[in-house]
Amino acid sequence: FLSNDELLDILSETKDPRRVVPHLPKAFEAICGVRFRGKDEADQAKGGEMLDIICMVSGEGEVVDLSKDSTVEPDAERNRGSVERWLLEMESSMRVTLKQIGRDAITAYPNEERTKFVQSWTGMIVLAADCLYWTKDIEDAMKNRGVEGVKDMEKKMVSELAEIVEL
């Protein structure tokens, strides 16, 4: 939730997107920060493409590169002076990016060991893929082998969880 003061602060920072970053966690759930194309203050001070947002960062420190198909360019001519426009670009880019990553993870899940999968993908993507495949595997086990199939799945899941705990 953004207070009136915070909203005014965001809207008043139309020239420098870096000053809006501290407010992002209240505007977008699970985003603690972003990374700009410019690696340091000197690069970012140049403006233009150096202020393009290329990554989002979670509170846990997970970094997700934004899709190259959906750029966020706060200092582009079309967005200059309109923080609300580039925030909409940010929202759109997050959706496109996570949809692509989610599809890739769901494709990769059955081909990777679970311990490797958990370490290779961001937390929320792992949870989503796990839920999808858990449901599919349990349904298949129930249809094909009934109670015995579910018991076998339980053994498999407990074994995989023990391997993850050992990490």
Side-chain angles (χ1 to χ4, degrees):
F1 174 73
L2 287 166
S3 69
N4 289 339
D5 290 340
E6 290 168 322
L7 188 56
L8 286 172
D9 194 29
I10 289 171
L11 293 173
S12 69
E13 297 302 339
T14 59
K15 291 190 177 21
D16 189 355
R18 296 172 294 177
R19 296 191 45 129
V20 176
V21 172
H23 301 289
L24 289 179
K26 290 189 175 185
F28 301 110
E29 190 173 343
I31 291 189
C32 192
V34 296
R35 291 195 182 153
F36 296 96
R37 187 174 312 284
K39 300 290 184 217
D40 56 31
E41 289 292 321
D43 279 349
Q44 294 170 10
K46 296 173 188 172
E49 71 177 23
M50 289 296 126
L51 288 176
D52 291 356
I53 296 172
I54 58 170
C55 300
M56 53 187 165
V57 183
S58 75
E60 293 78 24
E62 292 179 316
V63 177
V64 176
D65 293 336
L66 293 174
S67 171
K68 291 174 183 21
D69 298 333
S70 183
T71 59
V72 181
E73 302 170 324
D75 205 32
E77 187 63 38
R78 68 182 178 281
N79 292 333
R80 206 166 287 139
S82 297
V83 68
E84 64 276 11
R85 285 189 186 150
W86 71 261
L87 286 173
L88 287 171
E89 276 185 7
M90 181 74 189
E91 180 183 16
S92 174
S93 183
M94 290 181 336
R95 289 175 188 265
V96 167
T97 298
L98 293 175
K99 189 184 293 185
Q100 287 174 348
I101 292 171
R103 285 180 180 152
D104 292 345
I106 288 168
T107 301
Y109 187 95
N111 303 319
E112 288 185 41
E113 288 182 33
R114 188 146 184 234
T115 52
K116 289 181 183 174
F117 181 84
V118 167
Q119 293 177 314
S120 301
W121 301 89
T122 58
M124 293 306 289
I125 296 295
V126 169
L127 289 174
D130 270 348
C131 287
L132 184 126
Y133 276 98
W134 180 87
T135 302
K136 178 194 167 301
D137 291 345
I138 291 295
E139 285 180 355
D140 289 347
M142 288 171 63
K143 285 179 187 173
N144 297 330
R145 298 195 51 237
V147 174
E148 288 304 313
V150 173
K151 287 180 182 179
D152 290 345
M153 282 305 301
E154 178 188 23
K155 289 176 188 171
K156 177 184 174 200
M157 295 292 170
V158 168
S159 172
E160 288 178 350
L161 285 174
E163 290 173 7
I164 290 171
V165 169
E166 288 177 17
L167 295 175

